[in-house]
Amino acid sequence: TYNPGAFDNASGISALLEIAEVLNNNNIKPKKSILFIAFNGEEEGLHGSKYYVQNPIYPIDNSMLINFDCIGVNSDVPLEISFITDNSKALSEKFCILADELEIDYKETQGGGGSDHISFDYEGVKSVMISEMDDKYLHTINDTVENYISEERLKQTIKFVLYYLDKNIY
């Protein structure tokens, strides 16, 4: 079937690109390296992320992953900060503290989901997924910018992750 994918997951890719541009234009260099990466094959079984953790181009030891999946929704659902194993609980809690500071409506969840952060967490890499799940048009022909995306919500999520990066890598 044809699914335009504005919410799942062009919104996540747009956030990734915007954050990369902001950091690239920053005159201050981060204390840690940052790799921006997107995967294919998530819906079919996390093929891209599974392959990467088995064949990384950079060592994944001492790494962490922030996964965007379905962000910028134009409904009242809270931001979801998700982690899989206890290995990633402390990272998730850091994001929750920052969400409180920024007065962002959020919920923290453990387990479930089927997104690329799972592949990393199962390899011992601290990982969180940032999402705003509203499945009204998910995986349908109606997954378009006009039907699904709020520019303000998308900006809020980008600023939230930039805030995390500012506090933790600069």
Side-chain angles (χ1 to χ4, degrees):
T1 62
Y2 170 73
N3 304 312
F7 184 55
D8 187 19
N9 193 27
S11 61
I13 297 299
S14 68
L16 180 91
L17 293 172
E18 181 65 22
I19 291 168
E21 183 176 6
V22 168
L23 296 182
N24 187 54
N25 291 334
N26 189 349
N27 292 329
I28 302 169
K29 296 296 179 201
K31 294 176 189 169
K32 300 177 183 179
S33 296
I34 302 171
L35 175 64
F36 292 90
I37 190 167
F39 303 104
N40 200 358
E42 181 240 18
E43 304 288 348
E44 294 79 25
L46 308 175
H47 295 300
S49 58
K50 283 180 181 177
Y51 181 85
Y52 185 81
V53 297
Q54 296 302 315
N55 304 279
I57 58 174
Y58 297 103
I60 59 174
D61 299 341
N62 301 317
S63 296
M64 55 85 66
L65 175 87
I66 304 168
N67 180 37
F68 301 111
D69 197 355
C70 300
I71 58 172
V73 71
N74 62 2
S75 66
D76 292 338
V77 299
L79 182 75
E80 196 166 330
I81 302 166
S82 304
F83 67 100
I84 299 300
T85 69
D86 287 344
N87 175 56
S88 296
K89 175 106 176 102
L91 177 61
S92 179
E93 288 172 351
K94 281 185 179 181
F95 275 93
C96 293
I97 290 167
L98 297 178
D100 284 333
E101 288 177 15
L102 295 173
E103 298 179 352
I104 294 173
D105 182 27
Y106 73 92
K107 67 179 180 178
E108 181 183 35
T109 60
Q110 179 177 9
S115 197
D116 291 307
H117 65 299
I118 294 170
S119 300
F120 285 81
D121 203 321
Y122 287 162
E123 289 295 321
V125 176
K126 292 174 179 59
S127 309
V128 295
M129 178 177 71
I130 306 296
S131 63
E132 296 164 339
M133 190 47 64
D134 180 339
D135 61 2
K136 65 184 170 193
Y137 301 123
L138 196 65
H139 302 155
T140 73
I141 197 164
N142 296 312
D143 183 356
T144 63
V145 171
E146 299 79 22
N147 286 335
Y148 241 142
I149 304 299
S150 161
E151 186 176 339
E152 288 307 311
R153 289 285 302 264
L154 192 55
K155 285 180 183 178
Q156 177 188 46
T157 302
I158 291 167
K159 288 177 183 176
F160 173 55
V161 173
L162 285 169
Y163 187 59
Y164 170 85
L165 295 173
D166 183 55
K167 295 279 187 188
N168 290 280
I169 66 164
Y170 283 94

